[in-house]
Amino acid sequence: MAQVHTKGSASQPSGGRRARVNGAKEATPTEEFPVEHISIHGHQIGYRRGGEGPVLLLLHGIAGSSRTWVPAMTLLQSDYTVLAPDFLGHGASAKPPGDYSLGNHASAMRDFLHLLDIDRATVVGQSFGGGVAMQFAYQFPERCERLVFVDAGGLGREVNWILRLITLPAAEYVMPVLFPAFVRDWGDPVARFLGGRGIGNAGAAEMWRSYRSLTEADNRRAFVRTMRAVIDPGGQSVSAVDRLYLTAHMPTLIVWGDHDRIIPLDHAYRAHEAIPNSRLEVIEGVGHYPHVEEPVRFVEILRDFLRTTEPAKLDPEELRDLLRQGRHDEAECTSRTSAGPQL
């Protein structure tokens, strides 16, 4: 098992499959990575892209969007193709009724890459996006070069009590009172005023963007469907813990903020113990959004991981052997994870 660090070091990227992305650079970060759209099964999926080089697929959290990755994309685009989609029900993507499970999101990401003529990618997932990344690697290991979990969901039962409350019956009827449109109209000028004067912090701004998105009725409905697919009133209802041993031959990086109040740091240590040869980096002084709160430090850690690891190559024989062997601590796993269903 790799040593636990508190920060990474700057480094240069490694080689790999290259994908070209064309487009002029604009004045601001969000204009530099404008939202594009692609149709998947008749639904419009928004995404941002940039750079050229080995492909990084960047997956956001619940109530988030591709915008959360813009600071990191700015720092990575010189050496990598950076792709940040909006999940169905989020950001600029369609918000239809239907399946908002991890498995469906993972399948959509497979189709997304296929439509862009990209065979494989390093998959980087934050929060809910981390759960989708795990599911993607489980369903489509041949398409996954490396895994990066950033304060990821799906690694334990514990989660912030506010998220548990939102999964209660009839919560969707209370949410319009909790997320009124006038708060959005009042809060946006305040956020711009404070941001323009260097007041506030990136983590709070990210949480405001998530809150703001829930003032729209379609976003609220999609949010509740997504939440109930992975969380119940008792906590996270989906766990990947019993299958993490299957990533034994997949280079895996775990990044966590030591001040995360959404998903506890203990989950990072559990995952590090469960994933052979994984690397854990705990960033001091940040919360649930390391890639936003400390993008330079986050990218240094990510670059070092990419430089010092080789993309995984699926060996069906090795996968079969792992499945036959199972986890070494299956009895412990069964008792620990019996509280909720598995991926």
Side-chain angles (χ1 to χ4, degrees):
M1 183 171 59
Q3 183 180 359
V4 178
H5 304 282
T6 57
K7 65 178 182 179
S9 59
S11 59
Q12 297 301 314
S14 60
R17 183 187 186 279
R18 303 180 69 83
R20 182 176 299 275
V21 178
N22 298 315
K25 304 301 183 187
E26 300 294 336
T28 66
T30 51
E31 291 173 341
E32 187 173 12
F33 305 104
V35 175
E36 304 177 49
H37 285 88
I38 194 167
S39 178
I40 300 179
H41 311 307
H43 302 300
Q44 290 294 305
I45 300 298
Y47 67 100
R48 303 176 194 268
R49 63 176 173 176
E52 181 181 351
V55 179
L56 306 181
L57 179 64
L58 309 171
L59 306 180
H60 64 78
I62 285 181
S65 73
S66 57
R67 191 184 191 282
T68 191
W69 290 108
V70 166
M73 292 171 72
T74 302
L75 298 170
L76 289 163
Q77 65 173 332
S78 60
D79 301 293
Y80 298 95
T81 294
V82 284
L83 289 173
D86 289 333
F87 288 133
L88 198 69
H90 294 72
S93 291
K95 300 165 181 68
D99 184 0
Y100 283 80
S101 67
L102 292 174
N104 193 52
H105 283 302
S107 295
M109 293 302 96
R110 185 271 315 270
D111 297 341
F112 171 69
L113 292 178
H114 195 60
L115 285 169
L116 294 180
D117 195 27
I118 295 171
D119 295 327
R120 308 180 75 220
T122 292
V123 186
V124 184
Q126 187 265 340
S127 196
F128 177 79
V132 176
M134 294 178 221
Q135 189 72 34
F136 182 92
Y138 177 62
Q139 293 179 200
F140 314 111
E142 72 283 358
R143 290 183 171 270
C144 190
E145 294 185 338
R146 302 176 186 83
L147 277 173
V148 181
F149 303 143
V150 186
D151 294 68
L155 295 170
R157 188 75 164 146
E158 299 85 1
V159 70
N160 187 276
W161 65 271
I162 294 176
L163 300 183
R164 301 200 307 268
L165 283 180
I166 293 173
T167 66
L168 289 170
E172 57 266 50
Y173 301 110
V174 179
M175 288 180 67
V177 178
L178 301 177
F179 303 96
F182 77 83
V183 173
R184 173 196 63 210
D185 299 335
W186 170 82
D188 281 345
V190 173
R192 285 193 297 269
F193 176 83
L194 295 177
R197 285 154 181 79
I199 303 172
N201 63 73
E206 187 67 23
M207 293 188 73
W208 165 250
R209 281 192 288 270
S210 296
Y211 179 96
R212 183 188 188 281
S213 74
L214 297 178
T215 62
E216 301 288 343
D218 287 346
N219 291 344
R220 286 196 299 270
R221 285 189 287 268
F223 173 71
V224 171
R225 293 188 187 103
T226 305
M227 289 283 290
R228 288 175 175 165
V230 292
I231 296 175
D232 62 31
Q236 295 190 71
S237 57
V238 178
S239 172
V241 171
D242 68 338
R243 303 183 191 189
L244 291 178
Y245 73 95
L246 294 174
T247 63
H249 304 291
M250 179 80 64
T252 303
L253 170 66
I254 304 163
V255 182
W256 224 273
D258 69 342
H259 288 178
D260 192 339
R261 299 294 181 262
I262 305 297
I263 302 175
L265 176 60
D266 181 57
H267 290 203
Y269 290 104
R270 289 185 204 169
H272 185 45
E273 290 286 343
I275 301 174
N277 303 312
S278 61
R279 184 182 306 182
L280 171 60
E281 300 278 358
V282 179
I283 303 182
E284 298 176 345
V286 304
H288 193 57
Y289 307 97
H291 59 301
V292 175
E293 296 172 61
E294 291 286 352
V296 173
R297 293 167 70 188
F298 173 78
V299 168
E300 286 176 349
I301 291 168
L302 179 57
R303 280 182 176 274
D304 181 67
F305 171 69
L306 296 169
R307 179 183 63 83
T308 57
T309 58
E310 293 296 326
K313 295 181 180 179
L314 178 66
D315 185 329
E317 290 294 331
E318 288 183 352
L319 179 58
R320 188 178 300 113
D321 288 343
L322 284 171
L323 286 166
R324 285 172 175 164
Q325 294 167 11
R327 282 192 61 170
H328 295 301
D329 57 346
E330 285 186 357
E332 178 185 349
C333 173
T334 300
S335 63
R336 184 189 305 166
T337 60
S338 59
Q342 308 301 302
L343 294 181

